[in-house]
C-alpha cells in the first residue's frame, strides 16, 4: 500500500512527540509524581536544600542586576522615560537616567555611557555597587504598576561595560582653548589625597574644566580606594576601577602611589609652601572601629576586622590590583560576622569563598534596622548565611590560643525607642573565626597632624560646608567617608563632583576671574563626539540628517523653535494650504497601534491618525518661517504645502512660501485620509501625470529646491518618483503614512470612533510598523534614480534605523512617531548614536561588532558561562539535577585553580586604547551603500546554503525553535524529553525561522552548510500529478 503523503513519516512523528496539542480533557497526576517532576525541572534554589552550593574560590559575578544585551534592551523598552523623572531626583550624582535608558533602548550604548559618565565619572562602579533600591529605583513610577520598577543599576552597568569594551579614550572638552592658550589660573597646582571614588571624581571634573596640573597622591601601591581594597571581586572587578582611572588619566591627571598625607613630609603646610593652590582630601576612614573586647586578639587567633579581612580577599582575587600573588585568607568552620552594614555582608559572602562552612551575621538591632542595602542582604541570604538579630557582643572565649566561642547578650528597644542590653539573656555561640565590621574612623595621629591647621568636629572629622565641601581652610576641600556625609560610593563621587566646582570657583577668585553663578560642569567627550554628521542635499547644508516630519510634532512653530533649540537639524512645517482650503479636525484622531500587541504607554510600534493638514493659516506659517530663519539661520526649514490639482493655487502658495524665506518646499501629494476626498493629497499623488504637472507648475513658480512627498499607497512608487523628477522636483520624500484600519472593538465599533454614531474612516499608519515599506520605497527609488535626493520617513526611531535608511539611499531623515512616543530630546541620542556608528567603522579591532553591539558572550542571566562540555566532555542544561551537577563541576574547577594559586579573573586591558586606523566615513559616504546588495530574486544563489547551529550552553530550553520548526517549517529539530536540549538534524533547510523566534541573542546562528542541499520534492520530479 502506498504511503499517504499527507501523513508524517515515523521519524517525524517521533520528533513531534513533545509538540503542543490541543487539550481535550482535564489532566490527572498524583501530588507525589508532581513533587518528583518538579525537582527535575526546578531552576531556583530548593527551600529544603540541606547542602549548600560550594563557593570556595568562586569570585564570579553574583549580582542580580547584571544584564545581557537582550535583558538590557527589554528592560530599557519598559522604561516610561517620565516627565520630571523622580528616579533622577533620587540619584546623588543627578544622572540623566531617562536619557541614558532611551539610548540603550535605541541600541546607542555609547550615547548612554556618555550621559552616565558626564555626571558620574565612576558610572560603571556605581552601576555595579549602587544601592539603587534605596535611590533611583526607589523613585521609579513603575513601582505603582504590577511589573515593578526598572533595573536602573543593571542598565547603567551594561551601557558602561559596552563602552569600556570599545576602548575609546576620554578627551578634553573640545570647546576649551588649547592647553597652551588657557589662562594662567588653569595651570594652578592642585593636589588630591587618596585615589578613591571622591578624588577620582573631583580630579576628572577639574580636568574637564581645563586644569592641567592635577596630582593624586595615594598611600597604597594600588589605586581605587575602597572600591579596590574592600569591595569583593564578585561585586566589583578590578578591571572596572582600572577603566575609570584610565579615563581620568586620559585628561592628564597624574597619580603618585605609595605617598600620602603624613608620609615623606606630606602635609597641608608643606603643600602650600610647594605652591599648591588647592587640596582635596579623599582618604576615606583608614582605621577600623575596633571594639574594646577585641583588644589583643590577632588574625593568628582567628580575629579579623573588615579592614584586615577584605583587603586580603581582594588582593588574592583581583588580578591587576597589585603585583603580588597572595593567597586568600584561610578560614574554616564557623565564622561570626559582627555588624549590619554593607561591609559586614561583604565580609560574610567573602568568608564563604575563603572556605567557611557556616557564616552568621550578627547585629544589635532588628531586621528593620539593618543599614545594608536589600540587594546585599538578599545575596547573603541566598548563599545560606544565617542572620542573628538583637545580640550585642560581650566577650570572646579562647581555648589553646584560638577563638573558640563568643558571648552575647540580648538587646531590646524600650518604649522610648532606646536600645538596652538585657544582661539576664546571655547567648554563647561557637566560632572558629570572628570578623568585626563596626565601621571605620580617622584616628591616625600622624595623618591628623598632617592636616593641620584645619579644624575637626566632635567626631574627629574635618569641619566643612556641606554645600561647597570647603573645610575651615578655604583652600582645602574634603569629600567621601572622611567628610562624614557620604554613606555610599555614589555619594562619595558626588562629594568630589561638588567640590570640583567650588575648587574651580576658589582658584578663579584668586585670579580675579568670575565664574557662572550656576554650576556648568563639562560633559564627557571622546573622539566620537568630533565626528561630522552634517550632510549636503540639493544645495542645502544640513547640520545633521535628523529633522521633524510634517506631522503632529510641528503643529506650531513654537514647537519647531523648541526642537531647533534641542539640536534637530531641520524641520518641515505642518502642511498648510490656501485659506479657501482651510480644515477643521475631528477628535479623537490619533490612536496607538495594535501592531505590537497589548503594549500600553510609550514604545508603540505604530500609530494611526485621521488628522488633516494644519488648521492654521498660510499667513501664520509664512510669518513664523521668517522668525525662525532669523533666529536659526543654520537650520534648514522646509515649508510643506498642499493644494488641489490647480496650477494657480500651487503657483500662489509656493511663491508665498518662498517669499517667507523657507529653504525648500515639500509638496504634500500623499495624505491618505480626508484630503483625497477634497481632490488634494493622495488624489494627486497616485497619478504620475498629475504629479509631473504639479512639479512643473511649482518649478516654474519658485527657484528654491522642492520635494514631492510620495504615498506608499500605489502599485509602483518608482513611477511616481520618476514623474516628480521629470517635473523638475529636486528630490522626493518617501513615504507618507500607509492607509489602514487599526482595529475594531468587540462590539464591532471602530477606534477612533467619532461622535455619537461612532463613525471612522481609513487613516494613516505610521511608526516602526511601516519601516519595511518605507525602506523598500527608498531603496527602490534610489536604485532606479541614482543620485536623486530622498528625504526618508516612516519608522525612523533611532540612529541605527536612520543609518539603515541612509544605506538604502536616503540623504536626510524625517521623524514623527518616535517623538510622539517620547519628546524632542531624542535628537541628542540620534546624533551621538550616528557619530558612534560611523566612528566604530574606523576601528579595525571592532570589525566583528554589529554596529554598537559586541559579539554575544556565552551567558545565562547575563553572566558569562564556562563551557561545561570543555570541562567534563558532556552537555548539561541549567535546571534540576543537571544544574546541581554543573555547580558541582564548577566548584571543583574553582578549587583546582585555588590549589595552583591561579587567578580566575581576566586581566584588565590596561593601557589598551583603540584609535581610528581607517578614515571615519561621512554621512555622504554611507548613502546608498546597501544598494549593491539589493536586487531581483534571480540574483540570489541557491547553492550557498546555511543551516542552524544551536549553542546548548546558552539555550534556556524553551523549545520555541522546536515548535516553530514543527508547525511552520521542516521538522528538523529534535527536543530531548529529559534535558530539553534542542538538536538540529540533517533535514534543516536553513530557513532561519528558529533563529527568528529564539528569545536569546546569538543562541542560534546560521552557519555554512557543509553538505549538498537536496530539496525534498514530496514525490520524484518524474511522477505525473494525479489531479
Amino acid at each position: 500500500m502506498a504511503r499517504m503523503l499527507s501523513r508524517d513519516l515515523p521519524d517525524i512523528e517521533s520528533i513531534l512527540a513533545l509538540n503542543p496539542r490541543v487539550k481535550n480533557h482535564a489532566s490527572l497526576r498524583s501530588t507525589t509524581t508532581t513533587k518528583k517532576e518538579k525537582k527535575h525541572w526546578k531552576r531556583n534554589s530548593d527551600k529544603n536544600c540541606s547542602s549548600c552550593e560550594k563557593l570556595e574560590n568562586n569570585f564570579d559575578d553574583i549580582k542580580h542586576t547584571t544584564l545581557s544585551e537582550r535583558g538590557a534592551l527589554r528592560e530599557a523598552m519598559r522604561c516610561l522615560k517620565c516627565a520630571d523623572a523622580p528616579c533622577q531626583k533620587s540619584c546623588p550624582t543627578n544622572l540623566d537616567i531617562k536619557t541614558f535608558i532611551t539610548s540603550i533602548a535605541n541600541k546607542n550604548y555609547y550615547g548612554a555611557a556618555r550621559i552616565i559618565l558626564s555626571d558620574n565619572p565612576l558610572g560603571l562602579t556605581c552601576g555595579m555597587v549602587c544601592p539603587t533600591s534605596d535611590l533611583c529605583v526607589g523613585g521609579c513610577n513603575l513601582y505603582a504598576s504590577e511589573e515593578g520598577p526598572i533595573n536602573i543599576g543593571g542598565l547603567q552597568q551594561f551601557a558602561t561595560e559596552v563602552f569600556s569594551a570599545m576602548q575609546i579614550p576620554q578627551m578634553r572638552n573640545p570647546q576649551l582653548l588649547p592647553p597652551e592658550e588657557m589662562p594662567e589660573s588653569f595651570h594652578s597646582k592642585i593636589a588630591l589625597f587618596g585615589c578613591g571614588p571622591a578624588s577620582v571624581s573631583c580630579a576628572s571634573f577639574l580636568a574637564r574644566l581645563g586644569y592641567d596640573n592635577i596630582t593624586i597622591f595615594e598611600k597604597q601601591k594600588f589605586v581605587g580606594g575602597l572600591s579596590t581594597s574592600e569591595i569583593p571581586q564578585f561585586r566589583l572587578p578590578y578591571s572596572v576601577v582600572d577603566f575609570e582611572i584610565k579615563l581620568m588619566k586620559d585628561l592628564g591627571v597624574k597619580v603618585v602611589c605609595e605617598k600620602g598625607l603624613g608620609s615623606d613630609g606630606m602635609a597641608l603646610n608643606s603643600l602650600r609652601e610647594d605652591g599648591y593652590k588647592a587640596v582635596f582630601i579623599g582618604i576615606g576612614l583608614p582605621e577600623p572601629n575596633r571594639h574594646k573586647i577585641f583588644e589583643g586578639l590577632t588574625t593568628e587567633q582567628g580575629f579579623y576586622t573588615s579592614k584586615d579581612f577584605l583587603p586580603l580577599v581582594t588582593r588574592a582575587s583581583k588580578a591587576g590590583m597589585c603585583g603580588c600573588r597572595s593567597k586568600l585568607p584561610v578560614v574554616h568552620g564557623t565564622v561570626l560576622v559582627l555588624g549590619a552594614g554593607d561591609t559586614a555582608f561583604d565580609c560574610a559572602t567573602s568568608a564563604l569563598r575563603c572556605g567557611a562552612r557556616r557564616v552568621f551575621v550578627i547585629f544589635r538591632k532588628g531586621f528593620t534596622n539593618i543599614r545594608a542595602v536589600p540587594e546585599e542582604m538578599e545575596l547573603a541570604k541566598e548563599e545560606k548565611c544565617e542572620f542573628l538579630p538583637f545580640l550585642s557582643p560581650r566577650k570572646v572565649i579562647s581555648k589553646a590560643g584560638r577563638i573558640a566561642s563568643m558571648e552575647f547578650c540580648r538587646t531590646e528597644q524600650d518604649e522610648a525607642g532606646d536600645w538596652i542590653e538585657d544582661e539576664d539573656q546571655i547567648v554563647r555561640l561557637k566560632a572558629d573565626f570572628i570578623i568585626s565590621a563596626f565601621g571605620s574612623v580617622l584616628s591616625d595621629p600622624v595623618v591628623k597632624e598632617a592636616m593641620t591647621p584645619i579644624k575637626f568636629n566632635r567626631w574627629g572629622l574635618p569641619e566643612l560646608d556641606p554645600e561647597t565641601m570647603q573645610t575651615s581652610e578655604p583652600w582645602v576641600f574634603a569629600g567621601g567617608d572622611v567628610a562624614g556625609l557620604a554613606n555610599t560610593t555614589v555619594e562619595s563621587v558626588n562629594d568630589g563632583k561638588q567640590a570640583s566646582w567650588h575648587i574651580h570657583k576658589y582658584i578663579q577668585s584668586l585670579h580675579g576671574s568670575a565664574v557662572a553663578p550656576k554650576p556648568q560642569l563639562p560633559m564627557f567627550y571622546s573622539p566620537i563626539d568630533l565626528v561630522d554628521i552634517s550632510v549636503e542635499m540639493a544645495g542645502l547644508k544640513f547640520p545633521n540628517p535628523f529633522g521633524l516630519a510634517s506631522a503632529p510634532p510641528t503643529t506650531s512653530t513654537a514647537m519647531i523653535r523648541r526642537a531647533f533649540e534641542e539640536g534637530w537639524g531641520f524641520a518641515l512645517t505642518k502642511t498648510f494650504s490656501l485659506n479657501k482650503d482651510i480644515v477643521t479636525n475631528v477628535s479623537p484622531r490619533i490612536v496607538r497601534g495594535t501592531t505590537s500587541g497589548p503594549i500600553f504607554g510609550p514604545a508603540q510600534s505604530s500609530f494611526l491618525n485621521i488628522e488633516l493638514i494644519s488648521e492654521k493659516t498660510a499667513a501664520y506659517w509664512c510669518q513664523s518661517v521668517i522668525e525662525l530663519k532669523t533666529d536659526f539661520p543654520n537650520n534648514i526649514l522646509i515649508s510643506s504645502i498642499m493644494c488641489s490639482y490647480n496650477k494657480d493655487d500651487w503657483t500662489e502658495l509656493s511663491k508665498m512660501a518662498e517669499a517667507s524665506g523657507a529653504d525648500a518646499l515639500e509638496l504634500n501629494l500623499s495624505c491618505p485620509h480626508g484630503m483625497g476626498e477634497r481632490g488634494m493629497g493622495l488624489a494627486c499623488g497616485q497619478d504620475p501625470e498629475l504629479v509631473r504637472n504639479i512639479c512643473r507648475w511649482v518649478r516654474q513658480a519658485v527657484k528654491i529646491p522642492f520635494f514631492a512627498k510620495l504615498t506608499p499607497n500605489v502599485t509602483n512608487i518608482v513611477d511616481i518618483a520618476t514623474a516628480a523628477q521629470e517635473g523638475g522636483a529636486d528630490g522626493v520624500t518617501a513615504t507618507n503614512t500607509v492607509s489602514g484600519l487599526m482595529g475594531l472593538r468587540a462590539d464591532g465599533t471602530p477606534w477612533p470612533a467619532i461622535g455619537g454614531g461612532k463613525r471612522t474612516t481609513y487613516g494613516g499608519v505610521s511608526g516602526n510598523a511601516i519601516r519595511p515599506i518605507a525602506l523598500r520605497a527608498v531603496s527602490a527609488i534610489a536604485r532606479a534614480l541614482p543620485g536623486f535626493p530622498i528625504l526618508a520617513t516612516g519608522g525612523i526611531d533611532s540612529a541605527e534605523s536612520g543609518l539603515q535608511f541612509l544605506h538604502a539611499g536616503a540623504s536626510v531623515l524625517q521623524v514623527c512617531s518616535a517623538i510622539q512616543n517620547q519628546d524632542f530630546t531624542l535628537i541628542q541620542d540620534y546624533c551621538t548614536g550616528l557619530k558612534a556608528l560611523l566612528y566604530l567603522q574606523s576601528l579595525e579591532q571592532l570589525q566583528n561588532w554589529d554596529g554598537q553591539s559586541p559579539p554575544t558572550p556565552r551567558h545565562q542571566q547575563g553572566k558569562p558561562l564556562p563551557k561545561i562540555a570543555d570541562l567534563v566532555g558532556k552537555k548539561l542544561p541549567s535546571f534540576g539535577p543537571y544544574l546541581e551537577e554543573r555547580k558541582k563541576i564548577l566548584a571543583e574547577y574553582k578549587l583546582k585553580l585555588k590549589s595552583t594559586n591561579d587567578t580566575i579573573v581576566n586581566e584588565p586591558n590596561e593601557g589598551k586604547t583603540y584609535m581610528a586606523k581607517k578614515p571615519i566615513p561621512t554621512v555622504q559616504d554611507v548613502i546608498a551603500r546597501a544598494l549593491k546588495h539589493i536586487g531581483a530574486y534571480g540574483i540570489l544563489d541557491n547553492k550557498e546554503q546555511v543551516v542552524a547551529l544551536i549553542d546548548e550552553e546558552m539555550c534556556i530550553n524553551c523549545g520555541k525553535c522546536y515548535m516553530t520548526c514543527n508547525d511552520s517549517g521542516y521538522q528538523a529539530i529534535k527536543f530531548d524529553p529529559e534535558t530539553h536540549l534542542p538538536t538540529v538534524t540533517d533535514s534543516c533547510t536553513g530557513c532561519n525561522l528558529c533563529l527568528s523566534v529564539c528569545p536569546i541573542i546569538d543562541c542560534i546562528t546560521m552557519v555554512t552548510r557543509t553538505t549538498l542541499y537536496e530539496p525534498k520534492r514530496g514525490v520524484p520530479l518524474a511522477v505525473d500529478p494525479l489531479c
Side-chain angles (χ1 to χ4, degrees):
M1 180 178 174
R3 181 179 74 84
M4 291 184 65
L5 297 178
S6 60
R7 285 191 180 277
D8 288 310
L9 292 168
D11 59 335
I12 298 297
E13 288 182 350
S14 173
I15 287 175
L16 296 174
L18 296 179
N19 206 46
R21 296 286 186 271
V22 172
K23 190 172 180 179
N24 295 315
H25 52 77
S27 301
L28 184 66
R29 187 170 57 181
S30 70
T31 301
T32 301
T33 302
T34 300
K35 285 182 175 180
K36 205 175 291 183
E37 281 276 293
K38 180 188 74 170
K39 288 184 178 179
H40 182 82
W41 303 107
K42 196 169 179 59
R43 288 184 182 270
N44 59 350
S45 298
D46 193 336
K47 287 191 295 185
N48 300 320
C49 176
S50 57
S51 61
C52 300
E53 180 182 353
K54 302 296 183 183
L55 295 170
E56 191 170 353
N57 203 42
N58 187 342
F59 289 89
D60 294 343
D61 182 5
I62 64 169
K63 299 182 293 297
H64 291 320
T65 53
T66 301
L67 295 168
S68 66
E69 183 173 22
R70 170 194 179 274
L73 290 171
R74 289 177 71 92
E75 192 70 359
M77 290 295 290
R78 259 198 338 119
C79 176
L80 302 179
K81 292 88 179 178
C82 305
D84 198 28
C87 57
Q88 298 178 187
K89 298 174 183 295
S90 306
C91 174
T93 56
N94 297 286
L95 282 189
D96 191 348
I97 294 170
K98 79 167 188 177
T99 297
F100 88 66
I101 294 181
T102 294
S103 290
I104 293 174
N106 290 340
K107 298 184 76 173
N108 177 15
Y109 306 137
Y110 169 71
R114 181 175 184 267
I115 292 296
I116 293 164
L117 295 169
S118 287
D119 272 309
N120 184 343
L122 284 83
L124 181 49
T125 288
C126 291
M128 291 186 170
V129 303
C130 247
T132 53
S133 62
D134 191 46
L135 299 172
C136 51
V137 172
C140 179
N141 285 330
L142 280 172
Y143 249 121
S145 70
E146 299 89 339
E147 62 266 36
I150 298 297
N151 176 5
I152 297 172
L155 290 171
Q156 182 173 328
Q157 174 185 338
F158 171 78
T160 41
E161 274 191 320
V162 173
F163 173 64
S164 71
M166 294 178 185
Q167 294 291 326
I168 294 171
Q170 183 173 192
M171 60 177 288
R172 288 178 80 247
N173 179 357
Q175 299 166 11
L176 291 173
L177 293 170
E180 63 274 10
E181 297 179 23
M182 291 289 287
E184 185 61 32
S185 57
F186 288 89
H187 304 306
S188 301
K189 293 174 72 175
I190 304 172
L192 299 94
F193 285 97
C195 196
S199 293
V200 172
S201 173
C202 185
S204 296
F205 281 111
L206 286 169
R208 290 179 191 175
L209 284 163
Y211 292 91
D212 60 8
N213 198 351
I214 305 168
T215 305
I216 298 180
F217 297 98
E218 169 56 58
K219 72 174 182 178
Q220 301 291 349
K221 294 180 180 180
F222 53 84
V223 294
L226 299 191
S227 296
T228 297
S229 64
E230 295 192 25
I231 301 181
Q233 170 76 15
F234 52 82
R235 288 186 60 220
L236 182 64
Y238 180 72
S239 58
V240 172
V241 176
D242 182 72
F243 160 69
E244 291 164 341
I245 297 289
K246 182 176 173 296
L247 287 180
M248 177 189 73
K249 289 181 176 180
D250 288 338
L251 298 177
V253 176
K254 299 178 286 292
V255 179
V256 178
C257 289
E258 298 185 83
K259 196 168 186 178
L261 268 178
S263 63
D264 299 325
M266 292 287 285
L268 294 182
N269 289 330
S270 64
L271 287 169
R272 192 153 207 176
E273 292 170 5
D274 288 342
Y276 285 90
K277 301 300 181 185
V279 170
F280 178 83
I281 301 173
I283 59 174
L285 296 175
E287 292 83 38
N289 182 16
R290 188 165 173 143
H291 198 288
K292 61 184 180 181
I293 65 172
F294 302 125
E295 287 180 8
L297 290 177
T298 65
T299 55
E300 288 74 19
Q301 293 172 288
F303 174 77
Y304 293 91
T305 67
S306 60
K307 292 283 183 183
D308 303 321
F309 182 68
L310 289 175
L312 291 173
V313 175
T314 55
R315 280 192 180 94
S317 61
K318 291 190 174 185
M321 174 178 162
C322 56
C324 60
R325 289 183 63 83
S326 57
K327 293 186 177 182
L328 288 170
V330 178
V331 299
H332 54 80
T334 300
V335 177
L336 307 184
V337 178
L338 311 180
D342 293 338
T343 301
F345 286 96
D346 280 340
C347 290
T349 49
S350 294
L352 290 171
R353 286 157 176 79
C354 294
R357 187 175 64 84
R358 297 186 72 188
V359 175
F360 293 90
V361 182
I362 302 170
F363 38 95
R364 292 182 62 248
K365 300 179 183 179
F367 283 96
T368 57
N369 304 102
I370 288 179
R371 298 193 319 276
V373 297
E375 294 91 331
E376 284 259 35
M377 185 175 168
E378 190 62 31
L379 286 171
K381 179 181 173 184
E382 286 180 10
E383 296 189 345
K384 311 300 182 186
C385 293
E386 303 289 351
F387 301 160
L388 295 176
F390 306 114
L391 294 177
S392 181
R394 307 306 292 158
K395 66 179 178 180
V396 177
I397 295 100
S398 299
K399 290 183 180 178
R402 292 277 312 172
I403 289 173
S405 60
M406 189 167 184
E407 199 171 276
F408 301 84
C409 68
R410 290 278 295 176
T411 61
E412 295 178 354
Q413 195 171 18
D414 63 21
E415 292 184 2
D418 297 323
W419 288 90
I420 57 175
E421 296 180 352
D422 186 351
E423 299 288 352
D424 293 333
Q425 298 186 70
I426 300 298
V427 176
R428 179 178 290 188
L429 298 174
K430 290 182 179 180
D432 297 290
F433 292 87
I434 296 171
I435 303 173
S436 165
F438 288 148
S440 308
V441 294
L442 177 63
S443 59
D444 188 334
V446 175
V447 174
K448 298 187 85 165
E449 178 64 26
M451 294 167 69
T452 305
I454 65 172
K455 297 178 181 177
F456 293 86
N457 58 28
R458 61 191 177 99
W459 295 284
L461 303 177
E463 281 187 3
L464 52 77
D465 183 330
E467 291 299 318
T468 65
M469 310 309 292
Q470 206 164 21
T471 68
S472 56
E473 292 296 305
W475 68 293
V476 180
F477 299 75
D481 288 347
V482 75
L485 301 174
N487 296 316
T488 60
T489 298
V490 69
E491 289 171 337
S492 294
V493 171
N494 197 56
D495 281 359
K497 179 181 182 181
Q498 190 84 359
S500 70
W501 179 255
H502 294 285
I503 290 173
H504 171 58
K505 283 183 69 174
Y506 171 76
I507 291 177
Q508 293 307 307
S509 70
L510 298 180
H511 292 79
S513 301
V515 299
K518 186 177 180 181
Q520 295 178 351
L521 291 170
M523 302 278 283
F524 177 93
Y525 290 97
S526 82
I528 289 176
D529 299 297
L530 300 183
V531 174
D532 181 9
I533 57 170
S534 64
V535 61
E536 289 193 22
M537 183 192 73
L540 303 174
K541 178 75 176 287
F542 293 75
N544 64 65
F546 299 103
L548 306 184
S550 176
T554 60
T555 293
S556 71
T557 46
M559 295 167 72
I560 295 176
R561 175 178 291 275
R562 286 193 282 113
F564 282 167
E565 289 170 349
E566 296 301 329
W568 291 86
F570 71 99
L572 287 92
T573 67
K574 193 87 159 68
T575 302
F576 60 93
S577 65
L578 295 171
N579 287 351
K580 69 186 185 70
D581 296 317
I582 204 76
V583 302
T584 300
N585 278 304
V586 298
S587 64
R589 59 183 176 274
I590 304 174
V591 299
R592 72 177 185 88
T594 56
T595 51
S596 292
I599 291 179
F600 299 92
Q604 296 298 324
S605 69
S606 64
F607 292 91
L608 176 137
N609 83 87
I610 53 173
E611 183 165 284
L612 302 178
I613 61 174
S614 175
E615 296 176 321
K616 294 180 171 58
T617 64
Y620 165 87
W621 287 106
C622 290
Q623 176 57 38
S624 296
V625 167
I626 293 171
E627 296 172 6
L628 288 171
K629 285 306 299 180
T630 299
D631 294 343
F632 301 95
N634 296 323
N635 293 76
I636 300 299
L637 188 57
I638 302 173
S639 288
S640 177
I641 60 176
M642 181 188 287
C643 300
S644 61
Y645 188 65
N646 182 298
K647 180 177 181 180
D648 291 340
D649 289 356
W650 280 106
T651 300
E652 179 185 353
L653 190 56
S654 60
K655 284 187 173 182
M656 188 187 306
E658 180 182 43
S660 71
D663 295 292
L665 307 178
E666 182 180 82
L667 315 185
N668 189 336
L669 307 176
S670 48
C671 183
H673 48 269
M675 304 311 296
E677 299 167 21
R678 303 174 179 218
M680 306 166 76
L682 191 71
C684 298
Q686 289 181 319
D687 187 329
E689 187 60 31
L690 301 189
V691 171
R692 187 181 296 109
N693 288 339
I694 291 171
C695 288
R696 283 173 178 163
W697 298 337
V698 175
R699 182 73 292 155
Q700 292 166 8
V702 302
K703 294 181 179 178
I704 60 174
F706 71 88
F707 312 99
K709 187 170 188 177
L710 308 184
T711 175
N713 304 296
V714 292
T715 303
N716 187 357
I717 199 169
V718 172
D719 292 342
I720 309 298
T722 302
Q725 185 186 48
E726 292 169 351
D730 295 274
V732 292
T733 296
T735 66
N736 209 322
T737 55
V738 176
S739 183
L741 179 65
M742 189 54 75
L744 300 171
R745 296 184 185 278
D747 62 1
T749 56
W751 183 246
I754 312 303
K758 297 187 181 298
R759 307 298 297 273
T760 197
T761 187
Y762 300 116
V765 180
S766 65
N768 294 358
I770 72 164
R771 186 189 300 154
I773 297 169
L775 271 172
R776 193 250 183 223
V778 169
S779 61
I781 295 168
R783 289 178 63 227
L785 305 173
F788 192 47
I790 303 172
L791 297 85
T793 183
I796 299 166
D797 71 336
S798 64
E800 185 185 57
S801 60
L803 183 60
Q804 293 178 42
F805 278 93
L806 294 173
H807 282 158
S811 295
V812 294
L813 313 163
Q814 298 182 21
V815 182
C816 166
S817 294
I819 299 170
Q820 291 179 171
N821 268 315
Q822 195 162 339
D823 55 58
F824 287 143
T825 61
L826 281 170
I827 186 58
Q828 182 182 32
D829 169 68
Y830 292 0
C831 288
T832 58
L834 183 57
K835 289 178 178 182
L837 287 167
L838 295 175
Y839 185 85
L840 294 185
Q841 292 181 30
S842 70
L843 300 181
E844 293 178 350
Q845 298 91 336
L846 305 184
Q847 293 307 299
N848 59 342
W849 286 42
D850 179 15
Q852 294 194 52
S853 297
T856 307
R858 183 176 284 112
H859 71 91
Q860 288 224 354
Q861 295 183 316
K863 300 174 181 65
L865 279 176
K867 194 166 184 179
I868 296 297
D870 291 344
L871 297 178
V872 294
K874 63 179 178 179
K875 301 164 185 174
L876 297 171
S878 295
F879 59 80
Y882 310 109
L883 179 60
E884 294 306 313
E885 190 174 352
R886 288 180 72 98
K887 290 178 178 178
K888 183 178 178 182
I889 292 166
L890 187 58
E892 291 172 355
Y893 173 63
K894 298 294 184 180
L895 279 175
K896 182 180 177 183
L897 288 176
K898 183 179 181 181
S899 66
T900 59
N901 196 26
D902 197 2
T903 180
I904 57 172
V905 290
N906 295 323
E907 293 285 343
N909 295 315
E910 189 172 357
K912 194 183 287 185
T913 298
Y914 297 159
M915 301 298 291
K917 299 288 186 183
K918 300 185 294 186
I920 301 167
T922 64
V923 173
Q924 208 72 44
D925 293 333
V926 301
I927 293 173
R929 178 187 279 180
L931 297 186
K932 63 184 178 182
H933 302 291
I934 302 171
Y937 187 88
I939 69 170
L940 308 181
D941 190 341
N942 63 9
K943 294 183 177 60
E944 296 185 34
Q945 297 282 347
V946 296
V947 292
L949 179 66
I950 300 172
D951 187 322
E952 293 170 326
E953 296 285 346
M954 288 175 65
C955 177
I956 63 171
N957 319 104
C958 65
K960 295 305 295 182
C961 56
Y962 164 75
M963 290 187 288
T964 194
C965 188
N966 284 342
D967 287 0
S968 300
Y970 298 86
Q971 302 83 51
I973 297 178
K974 293 180 178 179
F975 197 56
D976 189 282
E978 294 297 317
T979 65
H980 276 189
L981 287 173
T983 305
V984 180
T985 71
D986 292 339
S987 299
C988 178
T989 67
C991 73
N992 200 64
L993 192 54
C994 56
L995 186 152
S996 300
V997 301
C998 179
I1000 304 299
I1001 297 173
D1002 289 344
C1003 179
I1004 301 178
T1005 52
M1006 305 306 291
V1007 298
T1008 302
R1009 188 183 188 94
T1010 57
T1011 59
L1012 180 67
Y1013 173 57
E1014 296 181 3
K1016 294 181 178 178
R1017 304 296 184 186
V1019 295
L1021 290 171
V1023 177
D1024 293 329
L1026 298 177
C1027 54

